[in-house]
Amino acid sequence: KPVRKLLASDQGGPGRFLAYALAKASRQWRRNAAERMPEAKGDVRIALMGEDPLFVVLYKLYRAYGRVFQLSFGPKSFVVISDPKALKHVLVDNADNYTKGLLGEILDFVMGDGLIPADGELWKMRRRTVVPAVHRKYVAAMTEMFSECALRGVDKLDASIGTDLPEKGSGKSTSLDMESFFSRLTLDVIGKAVFNYEFDALSKDDAVIDAVYTLLREAEYRSITLLPYWRIPGVSRLVPRQRRCEEALTLVNGTLNTLIADCKQMVEADDEKFMEEYLSKSDPSILRFLVASGDDVTSKVLRDDLMTLLIAGHETSAAVLTWTFYLLAQNPKVAAKMRAEIDAAMPDGPSALTTDDISNKLRYTTRVIYESMRLYPQPPVLLRRSIEEDMVDGYKVRSEADVFISVWNIHRSEEHWGKDVLDFNPDRFGPLEDPHPNEVNTGYRFVAFGAGKRKCLGDMFALYENVVTLSMLQRAFDFELVNPDEPVGMETGATIHTKGGLNMRVRRRKDSSGGNGTVTSDDDLLNQMKMGKWE
Ligand code: HEM
Ligand code: RET
């Protein structure tokens, strides 16, 4: 105000110069004040040491400190972003100023120079090489395989029904940890898709499967120990785990190298024009595409990318299915509406689905998956590191600052989604004609697959895989929580897990033809049991 007054009374001469200088200083002062980012302090450290997973602590802090704030511990500090515009700035508008930062440190041991942690020219080159492998036609071909794997899952569940004591009047059931079921099912899917490898994790445990799980657990362990790096001094605590992890890496790498070599031989023996033939082959795997399109099979980046795809495709889909089933169990109206759609799409029981079926007959089911990814985004937080100083939402972000973009916070923000933000409501995305919410058509409020140049390249693959698996299982069975009144709890690694598994009771649906296409009712089942078929 005084500056404005001075300006108003300015009649020229030295007064004019003084007014100008004061106005400039005032603007500078205001800018500096605005640039001072809210800082979470006090007992934040205690909160972070507590029971809540990191992303839940960040949600509480977001509600206290707002959409961009800084979290500091002694010399360490990082910026937490919970705002669509700020997210867009970092991931899209000024994306070249950010690297994957900590993510590389967390995932280096298993992904090396793979696409997720890679930066700069290497990333650009690999993205250009890998993206064509997951084009539309490949995803359509894969959808057939998703159906096969899901049907195998249906058979597995079907075979285990009857292992629980029947409750009065409720028919035979089985109770099992669906989280672990989904983890095995999605491992089978991604093994086939990436390198045409049959893990068959739904049926067996073997050394390679064990080794893959050791690596996954290690990646998750590093996410939670290296990430809140204030928790442990250095990485010394990792050392005792190191050997087991090394052994697992050796085994999985060995398997990958064999698969690469086999594939190379196969492609070389094939004198037809590969690119045209690719999709009609019995194994249109990503590996086959990369080898045939000239990727150097001796290169470490090829192996790193295969491992990256294996982990990225496996962990995320398993988590999405787990939380979708949890949400459906708690929201029977949504479940019933979805069921009606699924039953109409597969009137005679579980059967193979195509991408056309998904696009035309399973739009609400598609929305169920998206809405589940809104409430439980996997991973809940994205990581970046600034290269040069930047301005985000009017605040200064220093160079080499670690930035956490909380997708969880954006997806659960009342400001952006309204009062019913926590409701599981697949209808919230509007008319079903276009069932695909994305960053652009939601103004960066829905960013389950990220945004900008580092956006997930497996988004359609993942969506179809999840819709097919969800539909098939729901067509065949009824699912309910074994302990509906007990919260499942959350734990974070790279993705969100339940605390003690997703324990569900599974019953064959009376109107379903079941996994082997022969069981139509409990009576049928009983007869068959008498004949020893289900023993
Ligand atoms: C990147 C989510 C499935 C491959 C990402 C990112 C997200 C994401 C959020 C961005 C990470 C960042 O910005 O830091 C998901 C979810 C999935 C899924 C929720 C399942 C529901 C898949 C599948 C594949 C895949 C099936 C492979 C077939 C990748 C790759 C990247 C990536 C290679 C790195 C892309 C790049 O940096 O250029 N994913 N993903 N993802 N995802 Fe996915
Ligand atoms: C996945 C595959 C999809 C893309 C990315 C991955 C890794 C994410 C990590 C996130 C860690 C987040 C944490 C948040 C805590 O609140 C899931 C492998 C980027 C490692 C620990």
Side-chain angles (χ1 to χ4, degrees), residues 55-301:
F55 66 89
V56 173
V57 176
L58 297 184
Y59 184 62
K60 290 179 180 166
L61 292 173
Y62 154 59
R63 293 168 72 99
Y65 292 95
R67 58 191 192 224
V68 179
F69 65 88
Q70 190 175 330
L71 204 48
S72 316
F73 308 86
K76 305 270 186 202
S77 82
F78 55 87
V79 173
V80 180
I81 288 179
S82 315
D83 178 70
K85 280 206 194 87
L87 170 139
K88 179 170 180 275
H89 177 82
V90 173
L91 296 187
V92 185
D93 301 336
N94 202 16
D96 286 343
N97 189 46
Y98 292 86
T99 65
K100 287 286 183 125
L102 276 169
L103 205 70
E105 287 154 39
I106 291 169
L107 298 171
D108 177 64
F109 81 101
V110 60
M111 292 187 185
D113 290 328
L115 260 172
I116 287 183
D119 280 308
E121 283 307 309
L122 178 67
W123 165 79
K124 219 180 253 173
M125 188 263 285
R126 292 311 293 169
R127 175 110 186 174
R128 235 182 271 133
T129 309
V130 176
V131 163
V134 286
H135 53 60
R136 267 183 104 83
K137 282 187 179 164
Y138 165 78
V139 174
M142 283 297 111
T143 304
E144 238 178 82
M145 183 269 289
F146 302 152
S147 290
E148 280 164 29
C149 285
L151 280 168
R152 228 167 40 200
V154 167
D155 279 338
K156 278 280 146 214
L157 280 185
D158 206 71
S160 67
I161 283 186
T163 50
D164 276 12
L165 285 178
E167 285 164 52
K168 226 176 166 185
S170 63
K172 300 239 171 241
S173 68
T174 184
S175 33
L176 76 161
D177 173 11
M178 290 303 291
E179 186 168 20
S180 137
F181 177 84
F182 288 134
S183 172
R184 287 168 177 274
L185 180 54
T186 56
L187 182 57
D188 283 353
V189 169
I190 204 71
K192 285 291 282 180
V194 177
F195 27 67
N196 195 32
Y197 183 74
E198 289 276 2
F199 281 109
D200 204 9
L202 270 178
S203 309
K204 62 176 204 272
D205 272 316
D206 69 13
V208 180
I209 295 172
D210 266 7
V212 171
Y213 279 114
T214 301
L215 297 180
L216 289 175
R217 276 197 301 271
E218 183 66 20
E220 302 240 84
Y221 180 77
R222 290 182 188 223
S223 301
I224 52 172
T225 47
L226 283 187
L227 221 160
Y229 33 68
W230 50 90
R231 272 196 184 161
I232 53 167
V235 292
S236 54
R237 274 209 239 156
L238 295 174
V239 172
R241 309 169 60 102
Q242 212 82 297
R243 229 194 50 207
R244 239 160 50 87
C245 178
E246 286 296 325
E247 284 166 6
L249 264 178
T250 309
L251 182 56
V252 176
N253 281 338
T255 311
L256 284 183
N257 288 338
T258 311
L259 288 169
I260 294 171
D262 289 354
C263 185
K264 181 168 179 268
Q265 268 192 347
M266 221 157 51
V267 169
E268 275 170 0
D270 210 348
D271 48 345
E272 292 144 308
K273 270 208 168 142
F274 171 76
M275 291 311 236
E276 285 106 76
E277 293 288 312
Y278 167 59
L279 287 168
S280 58
K281 298 285 175 207
S282 56
D283 69 324
S285 68
I286 294 179
L287 169 59
R288 185 151 187 175
F289 182 93
L290 293 178
V291 171
S293 60
D295 229 7
D296 173 10
V297 292
T298 59
S299 73
K300 184 175 162 300
V301 280

Side-chain angles (χ1 to χ4, degrees), residues 354-363 366 433 435-436 464:
T354 62
T355 48
D356 277 350
D357 291 331
I358 298 172
S359 306
N360 300 323
K361 301 180 187 164
L362 293 164
R363 291 183 188 171
T366 300
E433 277 78 63
H436 303 286
Y464 289 166

Side-chain angles (χ1 to χ4, degrees), residues 400-418:
E400 291 178 54
D402 283 317
V403 178
F404 285 22
I405 301 169
S406 176
V407 177
W408 176 276
N409 290 357
I410 293 175
H411 283 186
R412 287 176 176 242
S413 147
E414 225 173 70
E415 184 190 340
H416 297 294
W417 292 94

Side-chain angles (χ1 to χ4, degrees), residues 16 21 52 112 162 176 197 229 250 288 328 356 365 369 372 396 413 467 476 479 489 535:
R16 186 187 188 122
D52 283 337
L176 76 161
Y197 183 74
Y229 33 68
T250 309
R288 185 151 187 175
L328 286 167
D356 277 350
T365 311
I369 294 291
S372 158
K396 193 155 73 190
S413 147
V467 171
F479 295 87
E535 234 83 55

Side-chain angles (χ1 to χ4, degrees), residues 464-477:
Y464 289 166
E465 175 191 7
N466 285 315
V467 171
V468 167
T469 311
L470 169 64
S471 305
M472 212 73 89
L473 290 171
Q474 292 279 336
R475 183 65 192 90
F477 306 104

